[in-house]
Amino acid sequence: LAERMRACPKLIVTQGRHGCITFERDQLAVHTIPAVARKIVDTVGAGDAFLAVTSPLVAAGLPMNLVGFVGNVVGAIKVEIVGHRHSVDKVSLIKGITGLLK
């Protein structure tokens, strides 16, 4: 793992109900970000939602600890949705982040 981490400048490992771990080589930083889900109804698609939101954030250059936090919020919102009845939207994401930061 250490060898792969040297070859990869940024890395996120999702851990389901345990949140995620982020790594940023340039900062020599590893962060453990806890999961924020309260009510778990259906976990299908949570990882896909995490990836769909975090990939553009990494490409935009956000710090990995913030990327992991936003990804965990998206995952928490997604696990409250049964199947693919509806998507995680911008309003839900902003409310989720705002609620956690209060």
Side-chain angles (χ1 to χ4, degrees):
L1 181 61
E3 184 177 319
R4 287 185 181 173
M5 289 175 77
R6 275 185 252 126
C8 184
K10 297 179 181 183
L11 178 73
I12 298 179
V13 177
T14 59
Q15 299 182 306
R17 66 179 177 209
H18 300 293
C20 69
I21 297 173
T22 67
F23 169 75
E24 201 161 4
R25 184 177 61 199
D26 293 343
Q27 305 297 319
L28 294 175
V30 175
H31 294 96
T32 301
I33 299 136
V36 295
R38 293 183 185 151
K39 182 176 93 174
I40 300 170
V41 176
D42 185 359
T43 60
V44 172
D48 295 335
F50 185 102
L51 178 64
V53 170
T54 58
S55 296
L57 297 177
V58 172
L62 263 67
M64 292 301 286
N65 59 335
L66 294 178
V67 172
F69 173 72
V70 172
N72 283 356
V73 173
V74 168
I77 294 167
K78 178 61 185 103
V79 298
E80 293 182 2
I81 301 169
V82 175
H84 299 290
R85 291 190 178 166
H86 57 81
S87 301
V88 176
D89 61 7
K90 181 179 176 180
V91 173
S92 297
L93 178 57
I94 291 170
K95 283 183 181 180
I97 292 170
T98 304
L100 287 168
L101 295 178
K102 284 186 177 181

